[in-house]
Amino acid sequence: MSAVVWEARAADEPAQSEETAADAAADATAGGECCEKGDTTPPLELIAKTPKGGLHNPYNDDVAAMEEEGHKKYLSYSCNGCHGGGGGGGMCPPLTNDAWVYGADDDTIFRLIALGSDELQKQGYKRVRKEVVVGPMPPFGGIAKTSDELWKVIAFIRAKNPDSMKRVNTPSQ
Ligand code: HEC
């Protein structure tokens, strides 16, 4: 009998078999599905309460609509100083090509931007693609006040790199 119960749970939650009951409960309070448009949760808080692989950009249904607003935020955080004004690269990797250092999915990219490369690596992420890298990507999770702002910046990146939309929900780590 217990084997049957386990199978049913495993089918419901294939990627979360290692989760503790507390994590599962937190996930349930968050509605299970992350993330929402207009979310005022600070990025680092959202990361702390969302299991790996659980972050999804609420603007994916129409990234073009967020392109202009996202671009303004991108410039206001000075992302362009390293990645170029249109995301085409500069002294740091282009955001417009097909090579994604840690992966192209929303969850990985949100964590990279918020945590920076050093902390992301401390959390077990490895470089899976080679790009010309002069140093670590700095963390923006304390600079962006809300998760919504980061999702809009990511929507801008997607608008510039439509091909990457195919992989938004394909965690590579
Ligand atoms: C000081 C320079 C610098 C700034 C400012 C910066 N980045 Fe980066 N970024 C990097 C570096 C270096 C990497 C490669 C990281 C690595 O290999 O660990 C990177 C990687 C990335 C990647 C993954 C690119 C790929 O090809 O896989 C994304 C997405 C990204 N940055 C977005 C942003 C956004 C959005 C901002 C502004 C909020 C920003 N970056 C600001 C230096 C910077």
Side-chain angles (χ1 to χ4, degrees):
M1 276 308 250
S2 58
V4 175
V5 173
W6 168 247
E7 267 176 34
R9 286 196 47 176
D12 280 340
E13 303 181 335
Q16 300 178 357
S17 51
E18 305 265 301
E19 260 191 315
T20 64
D23 282 343
D27 200 24
T29 6
E33 282 290 313
C34 181
C35 307
E36 291 172 1
K37 293 180 182 174
D39 188 354
T40 55
T41 311
L44 297 177
E45 215 176 278
L46 189 69
I47 285 176
K49 74 175 184 188
T50 309
K52 192 170 167 179
L55 299 166
H56 304 288
N57 194 342
Y59 295 108
N60 278 345
D61 53 353
D62 190 2
V63 291
M66 279 306 135
E67 182 172 356
E68 200 183 327
E69 200 179 334
H71 191 213
K72 277 193 199 133
K73 293 191 188 301
Y74 175 89
L75 296 175
S76 78
Y77 297 138
S78 302
C79 311
N80 56 312
C82 294
H83 294 290
M91 52 182 217
C92 298
L95 309 179
T96 47
N97 68 3
D98 220 26
W100 294 90
V101 184
Y102 302 93
D105 59 291
D106 284 342
D107 187 82
T108 303
I109 288 180
F110 187 95
R111 286 175 206 263
L112 167 63
I113 298 171
L115 300 170
S117 354
D118 287 348
E119 182 58 31
L120 191 75
Q121 290 185 12
K122 271 190 212 144
Q123 297 196 5
Y125 288 73
K126 300 204 164 38
R127 291 200 177 94
V128 292
R129 282 294 295 264
K130 279 214 182 345
E131 286 260 43
V132 178
V133 176
V134 292
M137 156 106 183
F140 285 87
I143 295 170
K145 284 186 214 68
T146 68
S147 297
D148 192 57
E149 292 170 35
L150 281 197
W151 286 128
K152 286 175 176 162
V153 172
I154 294 172
F156 157 72
I157 296 171
R158 298 294 183 198
K160 287 282 167 207
N161 192 335
D163 222 38
S164 75
M165 288 297 295
K166 286 183 220 137
R167 294 195 269 158
V168 286
N169 291 323
T170 316
S172 53
Q173 308 234 357

